[in-house]
Amino acid sequence: MAKDAKPAAEGAEAPKKSKKLLIIILAVVLVVVLAGGGAAFMLMKKGDHAEDDEEAAEETVKSKKKDKKKDAHAAPVFVNLDPFTVNLIPETGDQYLQVVLSLELDEAIAEPLLKAQMPKIRNNITLLLSAKKASELLPKEGKEHLAEGLKDEINSVIEPPKKNKKGELIMPEGPVKSVLFTSFIIQ
């Protein structure tokens, strides 16, 4: 029996030692895995910031190239407006202006914005045109000045001007690149 008791005692010590050894090995493996995971996370996080900076720089360069290509190869977008007929400020009796406009837009997506604001745009154009004299509009420079005024008026309806810190109005660029006269009659 003594012999039987001895092996049983050795068998009990072996599982205790192996359990302790197993716990120590698992703890070391867990620490190594956590340290490796933390290191990998930090490296990937730093890599993401570097990649984000590189991607942002590449996107800026690509967008500039696209804008240049777009300007060079994109077909212009034109929107035709209905004719305007207004009374001019009288100089030598009643005078009328009948004008048909086409608007050149910088991009096609601006057309729905323009159409959504059309009643207000037509109102502002009518008010601007009716405040002119025939003598102002007859020379080429008068027509060019009118086209610029119309462009600014339309752009201010779509993107209202903002005030800077000094209280001065800053006119937005707006989607309208130019105003073109397709018909211009003064009677």
Side-chain angles (χ1 to χ4, degrees), residues 134-178:
S135 60
E136 295 174 8
L137 301 176
L138 287 174
K140 179 181 177 187
E141 293 81 22
K143 291 176 183 76
E144 290 172 348
H145 184 68
L146 178 62
E148 282 298 313
L150 290 169
K151 180 182 92 164
D152 291 341
E153 188 67 37
I154 295 166
N155 283 334
S156 70
V157 169
I158 296 170
E159 293 179 22
K162 297 178 183 173
K163 290 185 178 181
N164 63 7
K165 292 180 181 177
K166 296 179 182 178
E168 299 168 343
L169 285 178
I170 299 173
M171 295 302 289
E173 283 293 317
V176 178
K177 287 176 28 179
S178 64

Side-chain angles (χ1 to χ4, degrees), residues 56-80:
E58 288 176 6
E59 287 177 6
T60 304
V61 170
K62 286 180 183 178
S63 67
K64 287 181 182 177
K65 287 181 181 178
K66 284 181 182 178
D67 289 343
K68 288 180 183 177
K69 287 180 182 178
K70 184 179 184 182
D71 290 341
H73 299 293
V77 178
F78 293 100
V79 175
N80 295 321

Side-chain angles (χ1 to χ4, degrees), residues 21-51:
L21 184 62
L22 183 62
I23 291 173
I24 292 172
I25 291 173
L26 287 175
V28 170
V29 168
L30 182 64
V31 169
V32 170
V33 167
L34 288 176
F41 175 76
M42 295 302 284
L43 290 174
M44 292 184 80
K45 187 175 180 182
K46 286 181 183 177
D48 285 346
H49 287 299
E51 288 176 8

Side-chain angles (χ1 to χ4, degrees), residues 81-144:
L81 300 183
D82 293 333
F84 291 88
T85 304
V86 296
N87 292 332
L88 295 174
I89 296 176
E91 291 179 308
T92 58
D94 289 339
Q95 291 184 306
Y96 305 97
L97 170 66
Q98 182 182 26
V99 65
V100 180
L101 304 173
S102 289
L103 307 177
E104 182 180 6
L105 304 179
D106 58 358
E107 50 191 17
I109 61 172
E111 190 171 353
L113 293 172
L114 185 78
K115 298 221 181 208
Q117 296 290 328
M118 193 54 69
K120 191 171 185 178
I121 290 170
R122 287 194 58 82
N123 175 64
N124 291 3
I125 290 174
T126 302
L127 293 175
L128 183 67
L129 292 174
S130 63
K132 300 292 182 182
K133 294 180 182 178
S135 60
E136 295 174 8
L137 301 176
L138 287 174
K140 179 181 177 187
E141 293 81 22
K143 291 176 183 76
E144 290 172 348

